[in-house]
Amino acid sequence: MLPGVGFGADVDIPGRCGLPFPPGVDAANWPQWIQQHDREIRSRLRRGEEDSLVNFILFGVSFTTRPRVMPGQPDQSLIDARIHDFLSALNSSTTSERIALLRRLAPDEQSIRTNISRYLTERRQYANVLDRASAGDPVASQLYKNRGLSIDTNFRPNFAIEKTLASLKSRGTLTFVSRAAIIGPGLDFTDKDSGFDYYPLQTLQPFALIDSLLRLGLAKIPDLRVGVFDISPETLGHLNRARNKPYTVQLVLDKTRPWQKNTLDYWNRFGDRIGVPVPPLPAPKQIQNVERRAVRIRPAIVNALDAHELNIVVQHADEKYDLIVGTNVFVYYDAFDQALAMLNLESMLSPGGILLSNTSLPECPGELLHRIASEPVEYSAAPGDDDLVEIYSNSALRRSLAPR
Ligand SMILES: C[S@@+](CC[C@H](N)C(=O)[O-])C[C@H]1O[C@@H](n2cnc3c(N)ncnc32)[C@H](O)[C@@H]1O
């Protein structure tokens, strides 16, 4: 365990949040249970990496020139050919960071086929649940609770965070941030949706947050420090290798989406406070209809990040932060785990601190951390391509936010 990162294993945690202990668990065996639970959660990372493997084989373009698979109509001969190309890349001397990560999963042809068929079956099941959800089925909110923990990311949630920060600034709720934290920044691996793999593996959220804070005049370099916490050793390893060097991000926009103008404006300004524009890498021919830009981020910005391994459900850092951001992380957990995470998050917030999450989190009776407002964001005119950022604060004075 890293210095400054403690286990949130206080025996009274369930009682504190008004939650009953899980079945068979009591104050005496709570410390053992929480350690076992940590191991269970970490085992879901492996399943998430197996999903990344499948996404990479079906949609990747860095190891093959074949077309991407259409997930709605999977073509078995195309999948077979892509598995073959992937195995050749895996056994080659490539230095690709993505291939190196997938090599650690030691996939063989049989396990790859099993994972692809599991993934396609789950995809159909999720699509069915989502169809029913549009008719008001609450099962949809349970969709991710037992799933593998995905590490993937794209630029969109960062627009939602910038819009929320602008709103908090205009209401006078947030005036200055000298210590910020991100829970689960993720890696842009091969998102099935709008992420690609023809450029080097990258993370976006830590840089996007600094960019937004500087743009809004809410922080200054070199005073700002950003704690970056993730359960995934791969994400942490990537961030630690980035230190003391410029870091180039490739931004690729799918032009076929009916983006909202504000989203496009955000995509176009991403990075302008933290780096300089550089020529983007060319896209391979399987990738059509995209717009590309790239930004070379200054080493001083990269070095403002302090990366630590942490499972926010069972651990907290001893540091205090003015602002904590966690997007597309808590959706993977049930209400009990979310309540534990809330207690850990509360212990990491400075007085008057703000927590932003695009998942609604349970508020613990008797605790200070409460939802004070929410910020809706529409990324595009496509159905469901939107978000709601929930704003929590531990300030007793801010039980509801002043109007804009
Ligand atoms: C789907 S990605 C989201 C990335 C990014 N925040 C975004 O919104 O695009 C989820 C991230 O949360 C991390 N994560 C999941 N569970 C976590 C936990 N219990 N503690 C810390 N990080 C966690 C994953 O490793 C991954 O980096």
Side-chain angles (χ1 to χ4, degrees), residues 41 45 149-155 157-158 182-187 205 229-232 235 310-314 326-329 332-333 358:
I41 291 172
L45 262 179
L149 297 176
S150 159
I151 53 169
D152 232 316
T153 188
N154 66 55
F155 81 97
N158 303 311
I182 294 176
I183 312 294
L187 289 172
Q205 195 155 48
F229 298 96
D230 206 296
I231 195 175
S232 147
T235 308
L310 176 126
N311 176 355
I312 193 63
V313 175
V314 303
T327 57
N328 304 312
V329 177
Y332 289 93
Y333 297 97
N358 61 348

PDB file of all heavy atoms in Angstrom, residues 41 45 149-155 157-158 182-187 205 229-232 235 310-314 326-329 332-333 358, ligand 1:
ATOM      1  N   ILE A  41     -13.370  -7.022  -6.053  1.00  0.00           N
ATOM      2  CA  ILE A  41     -13.490  -5.884  -6.977  1.00  0.00           C
ATOM      3  C   ILE A  41     -12.316  -5.897  -7.960  1.00  0.00           C
ATOM      4  O   ILE A  41     -12.492  -5.742  -9.162  1.00  0.00           O
ATOM      5  CB  ILE A  41     -13.552  -4.553  -6.195  1.00  0.00           C
ATOM      6  CG1 ILE A  41     -14.875  -4.473  -5.436  1.00  0.00           C
ATOM      7  CG2 ILE A  41     -13.389  -3.356  -7.123  1.00  0.00           C
ATOM      8  CD1 ILE A  41     -14.988  -3.300  -4.477  1.00  0.00           C
ATOM      9  N   LEU A  45     -11.417  -6.300 -12.667  1.00  0.00           N
ATOM     10  CA  LEU A  45     -10.542  -5.599 -13.615  1.00  0.00           C
ATOM     11  C   LEU A  45     -10.114  -6.527 -14.741  1.00  0.00           C
ATOM     12  O   LEU A  45     -10.047  -6.145 -15.897  1.00  0.00           O
ATOM     13  CB  LEU A  45      -9.270  -5.156 -12.891  1.00  0.00           C
ATOM     14  CG  LEU A  45      -9.178  -3.741 -12.397  1.00  0.00           C
ATOM     15  CD1 LEU A  45      -7.849  -3.550 -11.701  1.00  0.00           C
ATOM     16  CD2 LEU A  45      -9.323  -2.726 -13.527  1.00  0.00           C
ATOM     17  N   LEU A 149     -14.703  -4.348 -14.973  1.00  0.00           N
ATOM     18  CA  LEU A 149     -14.426  -2.912 -14.842  1.00  0.00           C
ATOM     19  C   LEU A 149     -13.684  -2.439 -16.085  1.00  0.00           C
ATOM     20  O   LEU A 149     -12.541  -2.819 -16.306  1.00  0.00           O
ATOM     21  CB  LEU A 149     -13.554  -2.652 -13.607  1.00  0.00           C
ATOM     22  CG  LEU A 149     -14.166  -3.011 -12.256  1.00  0.00           C
ATOM     23  CD1 LEU A 149     -13.129  -2.794 -11.151  1.00  0.00           C
ATOM     24  CD2 LEU A 149     -15.417  -2.190 -11.994  1.00  0.00           C
ATOM     25  N   SER A 150     -14.355  -1.640 -16.885  1.00  0.00           N
ATOM     26  CA  SER A 150     -13.732  -1.150 -18.115  1.00  0.00           C
ATOM     27  C   SER A 150     -12.750  -0.039 -17.775  1.00  0.00           C
ATOM     28  O   SER A 150     -12.970   0.740 -16.841  1.00  0.00           O
ATOM     29  CB  SER A 150     -14.816  -0.612 -19.039  1.00  0.00           C
ATOM     30  OG  SER A 150     -14.259   0.271 -19.984  1.00  0.00           O
ATOM     31  N   ILE A 151     -11.663   0.049 -18.536  1.00  0.00           N
ATOM     32  CA  ILE A 151     -10.723   1.154 -18.321  1.00  0.00           C
ATOM     33  C   ILE A 151     -10.891   2.226 -19.389  1.00  0.00           C
ATOM     34  O   ILE A 151     -10.231   3.260 -19.355  1.00  0.00           O
ATOM     35  CB  ILE A 151      -9.246   0.681 -18.294  1.00  0.00           C
ATOM     36  CG1 ILE A 151      -8.915  -0.130 -19.557  1.00  0.00           C
ATOM     37  CG2 ILE A 151      -8.936  -0.091 -17.048  1.00  0.00           C
ATOM     38  CD1 ILE A 151      -7.414  -0.389 -19.707  1.00  0.00           C
ATOM     39  N   ASP A 152     -11.758   2.007 -20.363  1.00  0.00           N
ATOM     40  CA  ASP A 152     -11.786   2.870 -21.540  1.00  0.00           C
ATOM     41  C   ASP A 152     -12.345   4.263 -21.247  1.00  0.00           C
ATOM     42  O   ASP A 152     -13.088   4.458 -20.281  1.00  0.00           O
ATOM     43  CB  ASP A 152     -12.580   2.217 -22.665  1.00  0.00           C
ATOM     44  CG  ASP A 152     -11.759   2.206 -23.947  1.00  0.00           C
ATOM     45  OD1 ASP A 152     -11.144   3.250 -24.243  1.00  0.00           O
ATOM     46  OD2 ASP A 152     -11.716   1.167 -24.613  1.00  0.00           O
ATOM     47  N   THR A 153     -11.967   5.202 -22.093  1.00  0.00           N
ATOM     48  CA  THR A 153     -12.394   6.593 -21.906  1.00  0.00           C
ATOM     49  C   THR A 153     -12.486   7.276 -23.259  1.00  0.00           C
ATOM     50  O   THR A 153     -11.966   6.770 -24.252  1.00  0.00           O
ATOM     51  CB  THR A 153     -11.386   7.336 -20.995  1.00  0.00           C
ATOM     52  OG1 THR A 153     -11.916   8.616 -20.668  1.00  0.00           O
ATOM     53  CG2 THR A 153     -10.025   7.524 -21.649  1.00  0.00           C
ATOM     54  N   ASN A 154     -13.162   8.413 -23.303  1.00  0.00           N
ATOM     55  CA  ASN A 154     -13.128   9.278 -24.489  1.00  0.00           C
ATOM     56  C   ASN A 154     -13.302  10.715 -24.015  1.00  0.00           C
ATOM     57  O   ASN A 154     -13.396  10.963 -22.809  1.00  0.00           O
ATOM     58  CB  ASN A 154     -14.188   8.847 -25.520  1.00  0.00           C
ATOM     59  CG  ASN A 154     -15.594   9.029 -25.025  1.00  0.00           C
ATOM     60  OD1 ASN A 154     -15.991  10.121 -24.615  1.00  0.00           O
ATOM     61  ND2 ASN A 154     -16.371   7.958 -25.035  1.00  0.00           N
ATOM     62  N   PHE A 155     -13.350  11.666 -24.925  1.00  0.00           N
ATOM     63  CA  PHE A 155     -13.286  13.082 -24.495  1.00  0.00           C
ATOM     64  C   PHE A 155     -14.591  13.590 -23.873  1.00  0.00           C
ATOM     65  O   PHE A 155     -14.596  14.589 -23.144  1.00  0.00           O
ATOM     66  CB  PHE A 155     -12.894  13.982 -25.690  1.00  0.00           C
ATOM     67  CG  PHE A 155     -14.055  14.320 -26.604  1.00  0.00           C
ATOM     68  CD1 PHE A 155     -14.735  15.528 -26.468  1.00  0.00           C
ATOM     69  CD2 PHE A 155     -14.485  13.440 -27.567  1.00  0.00           C
ATOM     70  CE1 PHE A 155     -15.815  15.847 -27.287  1.00  0.00           C
ATOM     71  CE2 PHE A 155     -15.568  13.736 -28.394  1.00  0.00           C
ATOM     72  CZ  PHE A 155     -16.241  14.943 -28.248  1.00  0.00           C
ATOM     73  N   PRO A 157     -17.003  12.968 -21.378  1.00  0.00           N
ATOM     74  CA  PRO A 157     -17.300  13.369 -19.994  1.00  0.00           C
ATOM     75  C   PRO A 157     -16.543  14.613 -19.560  1.00  0.00           C
ATOM     76  O   PRO A 157     -16.984  15.330 -18.654  1.00  0.00           O
ATOM     77  CB  PRO A 157     -16.893  12.148 -19.166  1.00  0.00           C
ATOM     78  CG  PRO A 157     -16.145  11.247 -20.071  1.00  0.00           C
ATOM     79  CD  PRO A 157     -16.494  11.590 -21.478  1.00  0.00           C
ATOM     80  N   ASN A 158     -15.420  14.891 -20.232  1.00  0.00           N
ATOM     81  CA  ASN A 158     -14.638  16.069 -19.841  1.00  0.00           C
ATOM     82  C   ASN A 158     -15.347  17.359 -20.224  1.00  0.00           C
ATOM     83  O   ASN A 158     -15.199  18.380 -19.554  1.00  0.00           O
ATOM     84  CB  ASN A 158     -13.250  15.986 -20.476  1.00  0.00           C
ATOM     85  CG  ASN A 158     -12.579  14.697 -20.068  1.00  0.00           C
ATOM     86  OD1 ASN A 158     -12.552  14.366 -18.881  1.00  0.00           O
ATOM     87  ND2 ASN A 158     -12.092  13.936 -21.031  1.00  0.00           N
ATOM     88  N   ILE A 182      -8.802  13.065  -9.258  1.00  0.00           N
ATOM     89  CA  ILE A 182      -9.621  12.329 -10.227  1.00  0.00           C
ATOM     90  C   ILE A 182      -9.655  10.885  -9.775  1.00  0.00           C
ATOM     91  O   ILE A 182      -8.609  10.290  -9.478  1.00  0.00           O
ATOM     92  CB  ILE A 182      -9.003  12.411 -11.638  1.00  0.00           C
ATOM     93  CG1 ILE A 182      -9.058  13.846 -12.124  1.00  0.00           C
ATOM     94  CG2 ILE A 182      -9.733  11.486 -12.614  1.00  0.00           C
ATOM     95  CD1 ILE A 182      -8.406  14.068 -13.443  1.00  0.00           C
ATOM     96  N   ILE A 183     -10.857  10.319  -9.712  1.00  0.00           N
ATOM     97  CA  ILE A 183     -10.984   8.891  -9.405  1.00  0.00           C
ATOM     98  C   ILE A 183     -11.255   8.184 -10.733  1.00  0.00           C
ATOM     99  O   ILE A 183     -12.248   8.464 -11.403  1.00  0.00           O
ATOM    100  CB  ILE A 183     -12.160   8.614  -8.431  1.00  0.00           C
ATOM    101  CG1 ILE A 183     -12.146   9.565  -7.224  1.00  0.00           C
ATOM    102  CG2 ILE A 183     -12.175   7.145  -8.009  1.00  0.00           C
ATOM    103  CD1 ILE A 183     -10.997   9.433  -6.279  1.00  0.00           C
ATOM    104  N   GLY A 184     -10.368   7.289 -11.144  1.00  0.00           N
ATOM    105  CA  GLY A 184     -10.592   6.491 -12.355  1.00  0.00           C
ATOM    106  C   GLY A 184     -10.484   7.282 -13.653  1.00  0.00           C
ATOM    107  O   GLY A 184     -11.472   7.449 -14.364  1.00  0.00           O
ATOM    108  N   PRO A 185      -9.277   7.767 -14.022  1.00  0.00           N
ATOM    109  CA  PRO A 185      -9.148   8.530 -15.267  1.00  0.00           C
ATOM    110  C   PRO A 185      -9.288   7.679 -16.521  1.00  0.00           C
ATOM    111  O   PRO A 185      -9.708   8.165 -17.560  1.00  0.00           O
ATOM    112  CB  PRO A 185      -7.723   9.093 -15.185  1.00  0.00           C
ATOM    113  CG  PRO A 185      -6.992   8.125 -14.324  1.00  0.00           C
ATOM    114  CD  PRO A 185      -7.984   7.632 -13.314  1.00  0.00           C
ATOM    115  N   GLY A 186      -8.935   6.386 -16.434  1.00  0.00           N
ATOM    116  CA  GLY A 186      -9.080   5.489 -17.578  1.00  0.00           C
ATOM    117  C   GLY A 186      -8.027   5.698 -18.648  1.00  0.00           C
ATOM    118  O   GLY A 186      -7.169   6.592 -18.563  1.00  0.00           O
ATOM    119  N   LEU A 187      -8.073   4.818 -19.651  1.00  0.00           N
ATOM    120  CA  LEU A 187      -7.162   4.880 -20.793  1.00  0.00           C
ATOM    121  C   LEU A 187      -7.990   4.767 -22.061  1.00  0.00           C
ATOM    122  O   LEU A 187      -8.942   3.983 -22.124  1.00  0.00           O
ATOM    123  CB  LEU A 187      -6.173   3.700 -20.748  1.00  0.00           C
ATOM    124  CG  LEU A 187      -5.101   3.731 -19.661  1.00  0.00           C
ATOM    125  CD1 LEU A 187      -4.339   2.399 -19.627  1.00  0.00           C
ATOM    126  CD2 LEU A 187      -4.122   4.882 -19.887  1.00  0.00           C
ATOM    127  N   GLN A 205      -8.511  12.442 -19.125  1.00  0.00           N
ATOM    128  CA  GLN A 205      -9.203  13.214 -18.090  1.00  0.00           C
ATOM    129  C   GLN A 205      -8.278  14.074 -17.225  1.00  0.00           C
ATOM    130  O   GLN A 205      -8.628  15.232 -16.949  1.00  0.00           O
ATOM    131  CB  GLN A 205     -10.049  12.275 -17.221  1.00  0.00           C
ATOM    132  CG  GLN A 205     -11.055  13.009 -16.379  1.00  0.00           C
ATOM    133  CD  GLN A 205     -12.231  12.139 -16.011  1.00  0.00           C
ATOM    134  OE1 GLN A 205     -12.062  11.020 -15.560  1.00  0.00           O
ATOM    135  NE2 GLN A 205     -13.435  12.663 -16.165  1.00  0.00           N
ATOM    136  N   PHE A 229      -6.213   8.856  -8.957  1.00  0.00           N
ATOM    137  CA  PHE A 229      -6.375   7.588  -8.250  1.00  0.00           C
ATOM    138  C   PHE A 229      -7.072   6.581  -9.147  1.00  0.00           C
ATOM    139  O   PHE A 229      -8.133   6.879  -9.705  1.00  0.00           O
ATOM    140  CB  PHE A 229      -7.206   7.801  -6.979  1.00  0.00           C
ATOM    141  CG  PHE A 229      -6.550   8.739  -6.012  1.00  0.00           C
ATOM    142  CD1 PHE A 229      -6.888  10.085  -5.986  1.00  0.00           C
ATOM    143  CD2 PHE A 229      -5.558   8.277  -5.162  1.00  0.00           C
ATOM    144  CE1 PHE A 229      -6.265  10.958  -5.106  1.00  0.00           C
ATOM    145  CE2 PHE A 229      -4.923   9.141  -4.284  1.00  0.00           C
ATOM    146  CZ  PHE A 229      -5.281  10.479  -4.249  1.00  0.00           C
ATOM    147  N   ASP A 230      -6.489   5.402  -9.267  1.00  0.00           N
ATOM    148  CA  ASP A 230      -7.134   4.375 -10.079  1.00  0.00           C
ATOM    149  C   ASP A 230      -6.815   3.012  -9.495  1.00  0.00           C
ATOM    150  O   ASP A 230      -5.747   2.806  -8.909  1.00  0.00           O
ATOM    151  CB  ASP A 230      -6.648   4.465 -11.534  1.00  0.00           C
ATOM    152  CG  ASP A 230      -7.679   3.902 -12.504  1.00  0.00           C
ATOM    153  OD1 ASP A 230      -7.968   2.681 -12.425  1.00  0.00           O
ATOM    154  OD2 ASP A 230      -8.214   4.658 -13.321  1.00  0.00           O
ATOM    155  N   ILE A 231      -7.756   2.098  -9.678  1.00  0.00           N
ATOM    156  CA  ILE A 231      -7.557   0.724  -9.217  1.00  0.00           C
ATOM    157  C   ILE A 231      -6.698  -0.051 -10.219  1.00  0.00           C
ATOM    158  O   ILE A 231      -6.168  -1.106  -9.900  1.00  0.00           O
ATOM    159  CB  ILE A 231      -8.948   0.071  -9.032  1.00  0.00           C
ATOM    160  CG1 ILE A 231      -8.881  -1.209  -8.236  1.00  0.00           C
ATOM    161  CG2 ILE A 231      -9.633  -0.165 -10.358  1.00  0.00           C
ATOM    162  CD1 ILE A 231     -10.256  -1.804  -7.948  1.00  0.00           C
ATOM    163  N   SER A 232      -6.576   0.499 -11.431  1.00  0.00           N
ATOM    164  CA  SER A 232      -5.912  -0.249 -12.506  1.00  0.00           C
ATOM    165  C   SER A 232      -4.408   0.049 -12.544  1.00  0.00           C
ATOM    166  O   SER A 232      -3.990   1.177 -12.809  1.00  0.00           O
ATOM    167  CB  SER A 232      -6.558   0.139 -13.846  1.00  0.00           C
ATOM    168  OG  SER A 232      -5.618   0.115 -14.884  1.00  0.00           O
ATOM    169  N   THR A 235      -3.253   1.761 -15.783  1.00  0.00           N
ATOM    170  CA  THR A 235      -3.447   3.208 -15.911  1.00  0.00           C
ATOM    171  C   THR A 235      -2.354   3.948 -15.153  1.00  0.00           C
ATOM    172  O   THR A 235      -1.775   4.920 -15.648  1.00  0.00           O
ATOM    173  CB  THR A 235      -4.843   3.587 -15.370  1.00  0.00           C
ATOM    174  OG1 THR A 235      -5.801   2.757 -16.001  1.00  0.00           O
ATOM    175  CG2 THR A 235      -5.180   5.034 -15.629  1.00  0.00           C
ATOM    176  N   LEU A 310      -5.511   3.021  -5.960  1.00  0.00           N
ATOM    177  CA  LEU A 310      -6.486   3.099  -4.873  1.00  0.00           C
ATOM    178  C   LEU A 310      -7.820   2.520  -5.332  1.00  0.00           C
ATOM    179  O   LEU A 310      -8.260   2.785  -6.453  1.00  0.00           O
ATOM    180  CB  LEU A 310      -6.661   4.570  -4.463  1.00  0.00           C
ATOM    181  CG  LEU A 310      -7.707   4.874  -3.396  1.00  0.00           C
ATOM    182  CD1 LEU A 310      -7.056   5.670  -2.269  1.00  0.00           C
ATOM    183  CD2 LEU A 310      -8.846   5.695  -3.946  1.00  0.00           C
ATOM    184  N   ASN A 311      -8.425   1.712  -4.477  1.00  0.00           N
ATOM    185  CA  ASN A 311      -9.786   1.219  -4.730  1.00  0.00           C
ATOM    186  C   ASN A 311     -10.722   2.078  -3.885  1.00  0.00           C
ATOM    187  O   ASN A 311     -10.791   1.915  -2.663  1.00  0.00           O
ATOM    188  CB  ASN A 311      -9.877  -0.258  -4.323  1.00  0.00           C
ATOM    189  CG  ASN A 311     -11.287  -0.790  -4.463  1.00  0.00           C
ATOM    190  OD1 ASN A 311     -12.223  -0.062  -4.778  1.00  0.00           O
ATOM    191  ND2 ASN A 311     -11.441  -2.095  -4.230  1.00  0.00           N
ATOM    192  N   ILE A 312     -11.434   2.996  -4.521  1.00  0.00           N
ATOM    193  CA  ILE A 312     -12.208   4.004  -3.777  1.00  0.00           C
ATOM    194  C   ILE A 312     -13.348   3.387  -2.961  1.00  0.00           C
ATOM    195  O   ILE A 312     -13.826   3.992  -2.012  1.00  0.00           O
ATOM    196  CB  ILE A 312     -12.736   5.116  -4.737  1.00  0.00           C
ATOM    197  CG1 ILE A 312     -13.257   6.335  -3.973  1.00  0.00           C
ATOM    198  CG2 ILE A 312     -13.820   4.565  -5.665  1.00  0.00           C
ATOM    199  CD1 ILE A 312     -12.239   7.066  -3.167  1.00  0.00           C
ATOM    200  N   VAL A 313     -13.741   2.147  -3.275  1.00  0.00           N
ATOM    201  CA  VAL A 313     -14.815   1.519  -2.487  1.00  0.00           C
ATOM    202  C   VAL A 313     -14.309   1.164  -1.086  1.00  0.00           C
ATOM    203  O   VAL A 313     -15.060   1.261  -0.108  1.00  0.00           O
ATOM    204  CB  VAL A 313     -15.353   0.264  -3.214  1.00  0.00           C
ATOM    205  CG1 VAL A 313     -16.387  -0.470  -2.367  1.00  0.00           C
ATOM    206  CG2 VAL A 313     -15.941   0.651  -4.570  1.00  0.00           C
ATOM    207  N   VAL A 314     -13.042   0.776  -0.990  1.00  0.00           N
ATOM    208  CA  VAL A 314     -12.554   0.309   0.314  1.00  0.00           C
ATOM    209  C   VAL A 314     -11.381   1.136   0.853  1.00  0.00           C
ATOM    210  O   VAL A 314     -10.895   0.857   1.949  1.00  0.00           O
ATOM    211  CB  VAL A 314     -12.137  -1.185   0.250  1.00  0.00           C
ATOM    212  CG1 VAL A 314     -13.281  -2.055  -0.212  1.00  0.00           C
ATOM    213  CG2 VAL A 314     -10.931  -1.391  -0.632  1.00  0.00           C
ATOM    214  N   GLY A 326     -15.187  12.098 -10.513  1.00  0.00           N
ATOM    215  CA  GLY A 326     -15.236  10.657 -10.834  1.00  0.00           C
ATOM    216  C   GLY A 326     -16.347  10.425 -11.846  1.00  0.00           C
ATOM    217  O   GLY A 326     -17.517  10.504 -11.485  1.00  0.00           O
ATOM    218  N   THR A 327     -15.989  10.192 -13.110  1.00  0.00           N
ATOM    219  CA  THR A 327     -17.040   9.941 -14.115  1.00  0.00           C
ATOM    220  C   THR A 327     -16.921   8.520 -14.642  1.00  0.00           C
ATOM    221  O   THR A 327     -15.820   8.010 -14.841  1.00  0.00           O
ATOM    222  CB  THR A 327     -16.942  10.934 -15.305  1.00  0.00           C
ATOM    223  OG1 THR A 327     -15.643  10.838 -15.877  1.00  0.00           O
ATOM    224  CG2 THR A 327     -17.234  12.363 -14.882  1.00  0.00           C
ATOM    225  N   ASN A 328     -18.066   7.901 -14.860  1.00  0.00           N
ATOM    226  CA  ASN A 328     -18.154   6.539 -15.407  1.00  0.00           C
ATOM    227  C   ASN A 328     -17.347   5.533 -14.585  1.00  0.00           C
ATOM    228  O   ASN A 328     -16.707   4.629 -15.131  1.00  0.00           O
ATOM    229  CB  ASN A 328     -17.722   6.525 -16.890  1.00  0.00           C
ATOM    230  CG  ASN A 328     -18.556   7.511 -17.691  1.00  0.00           C
ATOM    231  OD1 ASN A 328     -19.783   7.518 -17.570  1.00  0.00           O
ATOM    232  ND2 ASN A 328     -17.921   8.369 -18.467  1.00  0.00           N
ATOM    233  N   VAL A 329     -17.369   5.717 -13.271  1.00  0.00           N
ATOM    234  CA  VAL A 329     -16.676   4.827 -12.338  1.00  0.00           C
ATOM    235  C   VAL A 329     -17.702   4.169 -11.409  1.00  0.00           C
ATOM    236  O   VAL A 329     -17.782   2.941 -11.296  1.00  0.00           O
ATOM    237  CB  VAL A 329     -15.674   5.624 -11.460  1.00  0.00           C
ATOM    238  CG1 VAL A 329     -15.013   4.722 -10.435  1.00  0.00           C
ATOM    239  CG2 VAL A 329     -14.627   6.307 -12.313  1.00  0.00           C
ATOM    240  N   TYR A 332     -20.373   1.185 -11.943  1.00  0.00           N
ATOM    241  CA  TYR A 332     -20.020  -0.248 -11.897  1.00  0.00           C
ATOM    242  C   TYR A 332     -20.325  -0.882 -10.536  1.00  0.00           C
ATOM    243  O   TYR A 332     -20.046  -2.048 -10.333  1.00  0.00           O
ATOM    244  CB  TYR A 332     -18.529  -0.430 -12.199  1.00  0.00           C
ATOM    245  CG  TYR A 332     -18.213  -0.144 -13.652  1.00  0.00           C
ATOM    246  CD1 TYR A 332     -17.813   1.118 -14.074  1.00  0.00           C
ATOM    247  CD2 TYR A 332     -18.367  -1.137 -14.623  1.00  0.00           C
ATOM    248  CE1 TYR A 332     -17.550   1.380 -15.412  1.00  0.00           C
ATOM    249  CE2 TYR A 332     -18.110  -0.885 -15.949  1.00  0.00           C
ATOM    250  CZ  TYR A 332     -17.707   0.373 -16.344  1.00  0.00           C
ATOM    251  OH  TYR A 332     -17.468   0.632 -17.660  1.00  0.00           O
ATOM    252  N   TYR A 333     -20.864  -0.099  -9.595  1.00  0.00           N
ATOM    253  CA  TYR A 333     -21.023  -0.605  -8.222  1.00  0.00           C
ATOM    254  C   TYR A 333     -22.465  -0.526  -7.756  1.00  0.00           C
ATOM    255  O   TYR A 333     -23.229   0.350  -8.186  1.00  0.00           O
ATOM    256  CB  TYR A 333     -20.101   0.191  -7.277  1.00  0.00           C
ATOM    257  CG  TYR A 333     -18.651  -0.030  -7.653  1.00  0.00           C
ATOM    258  CD1 TYR A 333     -17.972   0.876  -8.462  1.00  0.00           C
ATOM    259  CD2 TYR A 333     -18.007  -1.194  -7.264  1.00  0.00           C
ATOM    260  CE1 TYR A 333     -16.668   0.640  -8.856  1.00  0.00           C
ATOM    261  CE2 TYR A 333     -16.694  -1.447  -7.652  1.00  0.00           C
ATOM    262  CZ  TYR A 333     -16.033  -0.531  -8.444  1.00  0.00           C
ATOM    263  OH  TYR A 333     -14.747  -0.789  -8.845  1.00  0.00           O
ATOM    264  N   ASN A 358     -21.032  11.617 -12.629  1.00  0.00           N
ATOM    265  CA  ASN A 358     -22.195  11.491 -13.511  1.00  0.00           C
ATOM    266  C   ASN A 358     -23.033  10.265 -13.163  1.00  0.00           C
ATOM    267  O   ASN A 358     -23.853   9.826 -13.963  1.00  0.00           O
ATOM    268  CB  ASN A 358     -21.786  11.500 -15.006  1.00  0.00           C
ATOM    269  CG  ASN A 358     -20.863  10.344 -15.351  1.00  0.00           C
ATOM    270  OD1 ASN A 358     -20.342   9.673 -14.462  1.00  0.00           O
ATOM    271  ND2 ASN A 358     -20.666  10.106 -16.635  1.00  0.00           N
TER     272      ASN A 358
HETATM  273  C1  LIG B   1     -14.863   3.366 -17.728  1.00  0.00           C
HETATM  274  S1  LIG B   1     -13.399   4.091 -17.127  1.00  0.00           S
HETATM  275  C2  LIG B   1     -13.867   5.805 -17.065  1.00  0.00           C
HETATM  276  C3  LIG B   1     -12.727   6.710 -17.397  1.00  0.00           C
HETATM  277  C4  LIG B   1     -13.051   8.218 -17.328  1.00  0.00           C
HETATM  278  N1  LIG B   1     -13.292   8.639 -15.961  1.00  0.00           N
HETATM  279  C5  LIG B   1     -14.235   8.559 -18.211  1.00  0.00           C
HETATM  280  O1  LIG B   1     -15.257   9.015 -17.701  1.00  0.00           O
HETATM  281  O2  LIG B   1     -14.145   8.365 -19.419  1.00  0.00           O
HETATM  282  C6  LIG B   1     -13.443   3.623 -15.390  1.00  0.00           C
HETATM  283  C7  LIG B   1     -12.164   3.946 -14.661  1.00  0.00           C
HETATM  284  O3  LIG B   1     -12.384   3.821 -13.255  1.00  0.00           O
HETATM  285  C8  LIG B   1     -11.407   2.962 -12.682  1.00  0.00           C
HETATM  286  N2  LIG B   1     -12.037   2.314 -11.512  1.00  0.00           N
HETATM  287  C9  LIG B   1     -13.049   1.410 -11.505  1.00  0.00           C
HETATM  288  N3  LIG B   1     -13.339   1.061 -10.244  1.00  0.00           N
HETATM  289  C10 LIG B   1     -12.530   1.773  -9.433  1.00  0.00           C
HETATM  290  C11 LIG B   1     -12.353   1.818  -8.013  1.00  0.00           C
HETATM  291  N4  LIG B   1     -13.078   1.053  -7.208  1.00  0.00           N
HETATM  292  N5  LIG B   1     -11.416   2.649  -7.515  1.00  0.00           N
HETATM  293  C12 LIG B   1     -10.650   3.409  -8.351  1.00  0.00           C
HETATM  294  N6  LIG B   1     -10.759   3.391  -9.693  1.00  0.00           N
HETATM  295  C13 LIG B   1     -11.696   2.582 -10.239  1.00  0.00           C
HETATM  296  C14 LIG B   1     -11.050   2.026 -13.832  1.00  0.00           C
HETATM  297  O4  LIG B   1      -9.816   1.382 -13.639  1.00  0.00           O
HETATM  298  C15 LIG B   1     -11.032   3.012 -15.006  1.00  0.00           C
HETATM  299  O5  LIG B   1      -9.839   3.721 -15.046  1.00  0.00           O
END
